[in-house]
Amino acid sequence: MDENAAERQAGDDTCHSTAGRGPTAMKRTRDGAAATSLLNYRPSRTAALAIIVVSVLVVSCDAFTPNGIGGGMPSNGPLSAGLRYRGNVGAANKFAARTSPGRPRPRPTEETSRHMKEVDNNEGKVKKLPEGGNSGVGAADSYLYNITGSEEERAKEKNKAKLREAVNEVKGAARVVKEKTSKLKDEVMKEDIKVVKTPSIFDDVTYEDNFGRKLKKYENGKPKSKKVEKVAATLGEVTESTAKLGGTVVKKSPSILGRLFLLLVSTDMRKDLNRRKVHYISDWVDGFKNKRQTVPAILFLYFACLSPAVSFGTISSQLTNGSIGVVEFLLSCGASGMAYSVLCGQPMAFIAPTGLTLAFISGLFRLCTLKGLPFFPIYAWVGIWTSVFMISLGMAGSSRLIRFCTRFTDEVFNGLLSLNFIYEAASSLRRNFVNAPDRSNLTMPFVALTEALFTFFATTKVIAFQTSKCFNQKVRDTIKNFGPVGVIIAMSLINQVPLIKSFKVPTLSVARTFELAGGRDFLIPLASIPMKTRLLCAFPAILLTSLFFMDQNISVRVINNPDNKLKKGPAYNIDMVALGLITAVLSVVGLPWMCGATVQSMNHLKAMTTTKFNEETQEAEIDHVTETRLTGFIIHALIASTVKALPLLQYLPIPVVSGVFLYLGRKLMIGNTFIERIGDGIAESRRLPKKHPIQLLGRKKMNIFTSLQVACLGGLWTFKQNPATAIFFPSVIGMLIAIRGVVLPRFFSEEELVALGDPTPKRSKSKQQIEEKQQQEAAIAAASSS
């Protein structure tokens, strides 16, 4: 009783001592008195008993959670957290075991045991609290709650929490501004204030209000009314809250944007960035260090990449009635290739025009013609939607799904590309016979056929000269690197000989000046079609995205094959995002789309590969590969600059381009076991290796598998060649994955698929670990209960 009386007396003295002071001083005194009384508070017996009961309930709830202490209920309150970390952990475990005798407790994981070693067994108290953020005990609580999760999940949850905190702070400041503004509006409407400002000598007289602000005491030579003072005070509050909101936005915006970026970008994408950024400088420098290999590769690959661009541009001009021609293909191939070499993750891969992309463009053009729609606005919006889908897929790390694309799909897809190259070359040579002016005189078509075949065989021989026995290794490498360029130049010069020139072998037909087809503007009018049509363009964009996804990832995966001995690592998701950005720019300016080119990428890889002869195996082996962005950038810069030298291309015979197409198509067949098995199906068993599928499974089983691949290839080719279904054939490519994953396992066991070189992809390691962990816990629980 004496202590309570003393406290009341102290409070009275404090109240008397603040008499005559301002409101700010009285407020501070009251706060100090409240803090003093809180510190001197002594709970009664009833309150103490209530605290003990609540403590026991919290500890028992933690004990009954499936994961033990800190496992199930993510309670972030100070009482629960304090009991977890400052209470007796051993007593809590004993209490849980005593209150749940029939409930088995799972054995703690290694990570949990490592953290629990920090607990003193004698006293049962934590020696060292884990480091947390500004949340005090709550951060330690969440740390203990997540010790069984992965480091990645903890970082993600922490990032979400900090992002939510920053956003809430900005929203709170904005809410204050909104409330103050609403209050100001209500007061102005309520008081109906109308003030006419006229100069007066009394206007400079000011006074301080309760908030320390200086206000004018007179208005127009007369004392200001209380209404005006009230509105002015509210206006000051609005200004102050607005300034606070601006400061909060400026302070928190970098944190919000950065953490939002981390949440939107997948872990796979961040891993790709971290893996490739350390090699970005060396990707350029390595090309300058190895000039003897870089220069020949640039010269050869310039013609190897130029030929498809010119050929597909010529074909596209016919399919689109001159809307997209050779100039557009040269400019698009060069500019996009330069951009890709700067932005991509795997610089050894190239993007270029492909027959599959050309088939989609021709199908889209026919659709627009039938529906009476303008082609280029539709083309632009389909490309923009495709860009959005590609960037989203790359950011989400969807390239990991390509692991479900097994060798079955790769071989059929590469077979389609190879068949397309050979078909285009054969069609070009066939037109010479069909369009001959005099059917009784077919000298020119046969001369053109001879030039094409000579180009094909000569290019094949000079490439294979590297593994011959003639001369030394340096001479063989030089012939291999410069040989294809020499063949193309030699055949062009031979065609200018008067005797050969008299046969009038057709040459490339290109414009003499740089001009887009039809003299159109460089930018496409995107707003020239209705909004509904723009949104409907997303549906064909889905088909194009599936084509790009398959083509790009398969092409890059061929380059990233471990047999190629690349050392800098893959970056599939960066490649997807780079292709999406390039597609958006090409669509806006109406240039043809580019995507992953398997043939050009493989030729680039082979040109930058140094081999050595293994005397033991009597075969050539890869010594090392010069991984550089320099070659791709210069090659495509030369292709883009070709538009300034269009008259020179008129001396390049079309049959020579067809011969290069034949070589590229044949090159793509090498290493394709699907193509090899077609011939092995009728081969003698004794002449085949011991590990050949015929020796392991029998001829019938292997031929059934090969026949399914042939049927899939035939279906793809039919969809591609049919004008009515050409735009839908990308969806058929996606069906290959479904056929391999659903249909084939019903007829072939896993051992048979492994013997055929097409094992089923394993599940991700994380999922396997989770399932194994669940099985172990279930086994432990069953053993404990028994």
Side-chain angles (χ1 to χ4, degrees), residues 57 205 298 321 513-514 682:
L57 290 176
V205 181
I298 291 173
N321 294 335
T513 58
F514 173 71
I682 57 176

Side-chain angles (χ1 to χ4, degrees), residues 330-379:
L330 290 175
L331 186 60
S332 177
C333 181
S336 60
M338 294 169 62
Y340 188 79
S341 63
V342 174
L343 301 174
C344 71
Q346 178 51 268
M348 301 306 294
F350 280 0
I351 59 173
T354 63
L356 305 182
T357 306
L358 180 59
F360 185 87
I361 293 175
S362 63
L364 184 64
F365 180 82
R366 285 192 292 268
L367 178 65
C368 294
T369 303
L370 293 175
K371 298 296 182 181
L373 299 172
F375 171 65
F376 277 111
I378 298 295
Y379 178 89

Side-chain angles (χ1 to χ4, degrees), residues 527-544:
S528 60
I529 57 177
M531 178 61 68
K532 181 181 179 180
T533 307
R534 302 177 204 173
L535 297 177
L536 291 176
C537 289
F539 291 99
I542 296 175
L543 300 175
L544 184 61

Side-chain angles (χ1 to χ4, degrees), residues 444-628:
M444 186 276 291
F446 278 106
V447 171
L449 178 61
T450 303
E451 290 184 355
L453 294 177
F454 184 84
T455 303
F456 166 69
F457 286 111
T459 304
T460 304
K461 290 297 182 181
V462 296
I463 292 293
F465 194 80
Q466 188 183 26
T467 58
S468 68
K469 300 178 181 179
C470 302
F471 308 108
N472 56 27
Q473 187 65 39
K474 184 180 295 186
V475 175
R476 292 196 298 268
D477 291 342
T478 303
I479 294 175
K480 175 253 182 182
N481 292 329
F482 289 96
V485 180
V487 171
I488 295 174
I489 295 176
M491 293 304 299
S492 300
L493 294 176
I494 291 174
N495 193 63
Q496 297 301 315
V497 175
L499 179 61
I500 305 298
K501 192 175 183 179
S502 62
F503 296 118
K504 297 181 180 180
V505 176
T507 58
L508 293 180
S509 177
V510 295
R512 292 184 176 271
T513 58
F514 173 71
E515 182 183 12
L516 295 180
R520 65 174 179 86
D521 296 333
F522 204 69
L523 295 177
I524 303 300
L526 299 176
S528 60
I529 57 177
M531 178 61 68
K532 181 181 179 180
T533 307
R534 302 177 204 173
L535 297 177
L536 291 176
C537 289
F539 291 99
I542 296 175
L543 300 175
L544 184 61
T545 302
S546 63
L547 173 62
F548 280 1
F549 182 85
M550 295 287 295
D551 203 348
Q552 175 68 23
N553 285 286
I554 290 177
S555 300
V556 177
R557 192 170 70 168
V558 171
I559 298 297
N560 291 325
N561 193 312
D563 296 337
N564 296 325
K565 296 184 179 181
L566 300 181
K567 298 180 179 179
K568 296 183 179 180
Y572 292 97
N573 298 291
I574 299 178
D575 296 332
M576 291 277 289
V577 173
L579 183 60
L581 295 173
I582 294 170
T583 302
V585 177
L586 295 178
S587 302
V588 172
V589 297
L591 295 179
W593 299 309
M594 303 287 120
C595 66
T598 305
V599 178
Q600 291 88 325
S601 301
M602 287 300 299
N603 286 327
H604 183 215
L605 178 66
K606 297 297 183 183
M608 301 306 294
T609 300
T610 302
T611 59
K612 61 181 180 179
F613 185 76
N614 191 334
E615 296 181 356
E616 297 180 357
T617 60
Q618 297 295 314
E619 294 179 354
E621 296 180 351
I622 296 177
D623 185 18
H624 68 276
V625 179
T626 303
E627 303 178 49
T628 178

Side-chain angles (χ1 to χ4, degrees), residues 183-184 186-197 203 205 207 209 213-237:
K183 179 181 178 182
L184 175 63
D186 295 341
E187 290 182 356
V188 171
M189 296 295 293
K190 179 180 179 180
E191 303 295 346
D192 192 18
I193 298 172
K194 296 181 181 179
V195 178
V196 180
K197 177 67 178 177
D203 288 349
V205 181
Y207 70 98
D209 64 351
R213 293 189 293 263
K214 291 185 178 181
L215 303 176
K216 289 184 179 182
K217 192 170 184 179
Y218 296 92
E219 187 76 25
N220 299 331
K222 298 181 181 180
K224 291 179 63 175
S225 64
K226 293 184 178 180
K227 297 180 180 180
V228 176
E229 292 182 7
K230 187 176 181 181
V231 173
T234 307
L235 181 61
E237 294 177 0

Side-chain angles (χ1 to χ4, degrees), residues 676-700 702-703:
E676 295 175 357
R677 274 189 275 106
I678 294 177
D680 293 341
I682 57 176
E684 185 180 0
S685 302
R686 292 182 299 176
R687 295 181 177 270
L688 297 176
K690 294 182 179 180
K691 294 185 179 180
H692 195 275
I694 289 182
Q695 306 288 8
L696 300 176
L697 304 177
R699 192 181 303 274
K700 180 180 179 181
M702 189 203 75
N703 287 339

